[in-house]
């Protein structure tokens, strides 16, 4: 059982602008009794703090996950470009985590392609054995079809690694428009050999679009974390989405992800991950999909050196 989407980090990986915006939004809902913004921000930092990933590995092993793809985050350009962990530091953190975990994690660093040193960071990352792909987060404020992304796409395609992107829901201070799926048609046409993983598969705003974008391009994949948020009241809709995805894409292009983020009280979410996996598994069985195929496809994506890229570098 491979989890293709997990997060763990020292809180410093995320910029203050993010915490402040989320704290203000939470306070505005009245769902917190904490009225002091500073204290609310401190609590949020605690809830995402897991600097040695001890919590993350324990939560995932308790969820019976055998291997997890650790994703980096580069939100450093949200505000004045001064806070959040620089991608170079993030790369060192992620590679160390893979080494310390004795193979439990693979790492996908994130980079904002608008950074002046984005190309150097990506080239450095792809030369490391701990790294299996690169993640972009367009809702930071750029279109995935913007030419600023092309040098990153080129390096990832040449290396045979995969490009993972955030698609689907996101709110202020991010830009929902760039969570849409349509621009990936242009990306596929410009980079037909690219292995493209649509993180969250449009969850849960644009599932049909995500399937349609993936359908015609044999190396585009759906990673379906985020859809699990429908479990409490819209489980049937979730099962229907998975069923259509498998019917259209077959067993090898739908990847399981939990989007688990470790920190203060994250172990409380272990039963929810197990429930999500049970739904994923039983829906696959109902659709006649072999979990061995699902797993084999995920494993093959992680072993990109077998596609000849890394050795050719
Ligand atoms: Zn995520």
């Amino acid at each position: 059982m491979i989890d293709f989407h997990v997060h763990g980090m020292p809180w410093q990986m995320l910029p203050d602008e993010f915490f402040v915006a989320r704290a203000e939004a939470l306070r505005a809902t009245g769902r917190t009794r904490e009225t002091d913004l500073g204290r609310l921000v401190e609590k949020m930092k605690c809830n995402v703090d897991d600097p040695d990933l001890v919590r993350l590995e324990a939560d995932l092993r308790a969820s019976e996950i055998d291997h997890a793809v650790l994703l980096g985050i580069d939100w450093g350009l949200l505000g004045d470009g001064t806070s959040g962990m620089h991608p170079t530091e993030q790369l060192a953190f992620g590679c160390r985590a893979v080494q310390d975990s004795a193979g439990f994690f693979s790492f996908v660093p994130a980079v904002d392609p608008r950074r002046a040193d984005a190309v150097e960071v990506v080239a450095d990352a792809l030369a490391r054995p701990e790294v299996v792909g690169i993640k972009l987060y367009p809702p930071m404020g750029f279109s995935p079809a913007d030419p600023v992304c092309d040098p990153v796409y080129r390096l990832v395609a040449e290396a045979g690694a995969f490009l993972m992107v955030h698609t689907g829901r996101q709110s202020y201070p991010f830009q929902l428009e760039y969570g849409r799926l349509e621009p990936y048609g242009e990306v596929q046409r410009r980079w037909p050999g690219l292995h493209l993983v649509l993180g969250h598969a449009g969850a849960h705003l644009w599932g049909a679009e995500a399937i349609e974008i993936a359908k015609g391009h044999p190396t585009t994949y759906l990673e379906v974390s985020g859809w699990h948020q429908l479990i409490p009241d819209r489980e049937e809709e979730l099962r229907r989405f998975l069923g259509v995805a498998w019917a259209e894409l077959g067993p090898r292009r739908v990847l399981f992800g939990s989007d688990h983020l470790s920190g203060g009280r994250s172990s409380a979410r272990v039963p929810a991950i197990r429930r999500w996996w049970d739904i994923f598994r039983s829906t696959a069985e109902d659709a006649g999909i072999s979990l061995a195929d699902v797993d084999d496809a995920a494993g093959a994506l992680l072993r990109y050196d077998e596609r000849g890229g890394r050795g050719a570098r």
Side-chain angles (χ1 to χ4, degrees):
M1 174 181 177
I2 294 176
D3 186 337
F4 228 83
H5 193 140
V6 305
H7 297 284
M9 63 191 77
W11 67 263
Q12 291 90 343
M13 189 179 283
L14 306 181
D16 279 336
E17 287 85 349
F18 168 75
F19 289 110
V20 171
R22 282 293 188 268
E24 282 175 338
L26 181 64
R27 201 170 56 168
T29 63
R31 287 210 311 266
T32 173
R33 263 178 285 172
E34 182 58 77
T35 51
D36 183 82
L37 194 68
R39 277 202 299 267
L40 198 49
V41 164
E42 284 316 303
K43 260 188 208 167
M44 286 178 157
K45 287 178 175 173
C46 244
N47 283 342
V48 303
D49 195 40
D50 186 16
D52 45 18
L53 302 188
V54 166
R55 287 189 163 110
L56 182 62
E57 190 171 335
D59 292 352
L60 295 171
R61 287 194 187 277
S63 308
E64 291 173 26
I65 283 161
D66 303 305
H67 186 83
V69 181
L70 176 68
L71 303 180
I73 292 180
D74 178 15
W75 290 344
L77 303 187
L78 261 187
D80 298 328
T82 52
S83 61
M85 198 187 260
H86 187 275
T88 305
E89 230 183 305
Q90 187 197 127
L91 183 59
F93 165 77
C95 289
R96 205 176 330 113
V98 172
Q99 292 159 12
D100 292 349
S101 75
F104 181 76
F105 293 116
S106 300
F107 185 50
V108 174
V111 67
D112 190 317
R114 297 168 301 176
R115 284 190 184 270
D117 56 355
V119 171
E120 287 77 20
V121 170
V122 171
D124 180 11
L126 290 171
R128 301 183 187 224
E130 296 87 356
V131 170
V132 290
I134 298 291
K135 173 139 192 226
L136 297 190
Y137 205 97
M140 275 287 296
F142 58 91
S143 165
D146 189 310
V148 76
C149 303
D150 278 332
V152 174
Y153 296 156
R154 175 175 293 111
L155 284 173
V156 173
E158 280 173 4
F162 63 84
L163 181 85
M164 187 152 184
V165 292
H166 172 101
T167 67
R169 59 187 292 190
Q170 190 43 288
S171 189
Y172 181 81
F174 300 95
Q175 225 171 319
L176 179 63
E177 176 188 1
Y178 297 128
R180 298 196 69 100
L181 277 298
E182 289 85 341
Y184 293 100
E186 186 174 339
V187 174
Q188 290 163 330
R189 281 157 57 97
R190 286 217 299 263
W191 302 99
L194 188 65
H195 287 72
L196 175 63
V197 179
L198 302 173
H200 305 309
H204 34 75
L205 303 170
W206 302 305
E209 289 87 338
I211 293 169
E212 195 63 25
I213 283 284
K215 196 165 79 178
H217 186 246
T219 58
T220 292
Y221 302 77
L222 304 186
E223 177 278 301
V224 295
S225 68
W227 283 90
H228 65 282
Q229 288 169 350
L230 297 184
I231 291 173
D233 350 279
R234 291 154 70 188
E235 189 183 317
E236 273 319 299
E237 188 183 332
L238 163 63
R239 287 182 181 272
R240 220 167 22 246
F241 166 73
L242 289 173
V244 175
W246 273 311
E248 296 283 0
L249 305 176
R252 300 189 64 87
R253 293 202 284 142
V254 180
L255 307 166
F256 177 79
S258 68
D259 201 13
H260 186 56
L261 165 62
S262 57
R265 292 168 303 184
S266 61
S267 60
R269 292 198 298 275
V270 165
I273 300 174
R274 296 181 65 150
R275 170 95 183 106
W276 171 212
W277 168 250
D278 278 344
I279 289 175
F280 183 90
R281 182 181 44 77
S282 64
T283 311
E285 283 164 6
D286 291 349
I289 293 294
S290 144
L291 283 169
D293 286 345
V294 171
D295 217 44
D296 185 62
L301 254 184
L302 299 180
R303 295 186 305 270
Y304 80 81
D305 36 348
E306 288 175 11
R307 292 194 289 274
R310 204 193 301 260
R313 292 175 61 80

